[in-house]
Amino acid sequence: MGVLGTKHLLNIEDLSADEIYIVLDTARSFEEINTRTIKKLPTLRGRTIINLFLESSTRTRISFEIAAKRLSADSINFSADASATQKGESLVDTVETLDAMGLDMIVIRHSYAGSPHMLTQHTDAAIINGGDGKHQHPTQALLDMYTMREHFGYIKGLNVAIVGDISHSRVFGSLAPGLSLLGANVTAIGPKTLMPAYPEALGAKALYSLDDELENYDVVYMLRIQQERLERSPFPSLREYSSQYGINLERLARMKDEAIIMHPGPVNRGVELNSETIDIANNLLLDQVHAGVAVRMALMYLLLGGDQDGIAA
């Protein structure tokens, strides 16, 4: 077990507030590395990290791959298209086969909630949850909190609205409890058809109108409408949804001057955000992408036994 009090990162609740700050502080230490001409450290040389992505992804997989390579780990991508699971092999069979090759870490992304936890019972490798079904996406929450902290200088006391498809969002499932743990005030906003029964269980109060308290928020975090996860049509049309819950120029004008807009990506232009809004709004969309590499470097480093004093200059 490394510096963190856990061998794995399966849920954001695996970390205490102090441990979250250790991750964020360590990520900041790696920021300078990512601005160098040669962006590489020997920190994890000889370690092997598998990206086991059995659900389609581009930016998350690439972010993990870059993070591992910048720490000099051997990074191997294992995608659904190349997986023996398409030939009938179970996830457990696949992991036990990979484990026999002497892995140090597996980053798993899977459409079924609980898959990362199941893996811990069949391998000695450290496991990072890269997103499991509608459950959690803890590294996304950490990079989002890192982005907020770098922008404002603090998280405690921030008023954060998370807007959209709350029920199907693993981003909400990790970000809301993480922010709440660090003392932010979290509000979940969306239509009743996309709201879980008890969002307060994850540290958020519920509102059904974006317009009710728009002037109060420091961060407006727009969730992607995930049409691939919708079992039925929860609203009349995307146009209707956008008119009620999208950020347009009128709503942008009502927000605090210092308020920021965030989004986990990719953005459905014209749905969560209008194109003109993206172009002129105080948004941190690219900051979030940039933060993803540093945060994932920090997690790999800390979970595999690093300490903050051991980061090479």
Side-chain angles (χ1 to χ4, degrees), residues 11 44 67 69 90 121 149 171 175-176 200 241 255 308:
N11 314 290
L44 296 183
K69 288 183 176 179
S90 72
Q121 302 170 49
R149 187 191 187 207
V171 173
L175 184 56
E200 60 272 15
Y241 174 86
M255 292 170 57
Q308 288 180 285

Side-chain angles (χ1 to χ4, degrees), residues 191 193 233-241 243-245:
T193 51
S233 180
F235 42 78
S237 67
L238 289 177
R239 182 177 180 180
E240 176 74 14
Y241 174 86
S243 71
Q244 297 296 316
Y245 298 99

Side-chain angles (χ1 to χ4, degrees), residues 7 18 24 44 50-52 62 84 89 115 121 124 133 139 168 189 227 230 236 255-256 269 286-287 289-290:
K7 179 180 179 179
D18 287 343
L24 303 188
L44 296 183
I50 295 284
N51 292 321
L52 183 61
I62 290 174
E89 183 175 86
S115 298
Q121 302 170 49
D124 291 328
T139 65
H168 298 88
I189 302 174
Q227 298 182 68
L230 300 181
M255 292 170 57
K256 290 181 179 181
R269 284 180 177 257
L286 293 181
D287 297 70
V289 176
H290 179 74

Side-chain angles (χ1 to χ4, degrees), residues 91-197:
L91 177 59
V92 170
D93 291 337
T94 298
V95 171
E96 289 181 342
T97 299
L98 293 172
D99 188 59
M101 300 178 188
L103 307 180
D104 296 291
M105 175 177 283
I106 298 174
V107 180
I108 180 171
R109 188 181 184 97
H110 203 289
S111 59
Y112 291 114
S115 298
H117 181 269
M118 183 180 69
L119 259 59
T120 64
Q121 302 170 49
H122 298 277
T123 178
D124 291 328
I127 304 295
I128 292 181
N129 180 358
D132 62 330
K134 304 172 191 175
H135 181 223
Q136 287 218 7
H137 195 351
T139 65
Q140 179 71 46
L142 288 165
L143 74 86
D144 290 335
M145 290 187 283
Y146 179 88
T147 303
M148 293 180 201
R149 187 191 187 207
E150 291 299 297
H151 181 82
F152 290 103
Y154 60 92
I155 292 177
K156 185 176 182 179
L158 287 177
N159 294 317
V160 181
I162 303 178
V163 184
D165 186 359
I166 305 296
S167 290
H168 298 88
S169 175
R170 57 192 173 202
V171 173
F172 174 81
S174 292
L175 184 56
L179 285 171
S180 180
L181 182 63
L182 298 189
N185 306 306
V186 185
T187 303
I189 302 174
K192 290 185 178 180
T193 51
L194 291 177
M195 189 71 69

Side-chain angles (χ1 to χ4, degrees), residues 14-30:
D14 290 340
L15 303 175
S16 67
D18 287 343
E19 288 168 337
I20 289 176
Y21 280 121
I22 288 173
V23 174
L24 303 188
D25 290 341
T26 305
R28 182 181 288 162
S29 299
F30 283 123

Side-chain angles (χ1 to χ4, degrees), residues 271-289:
V271 182
E272 301 100 26
L273 296 163
N274 292 340
S275 291
E276 60 268 27
T277 304
I278 295 175
D279 293 337
I280 69 171
N282 185 17
N283 76 72
L284 299 184
L285 276 61
L286 293 181
D287 297 70
Q288 292 171 263
V289 176

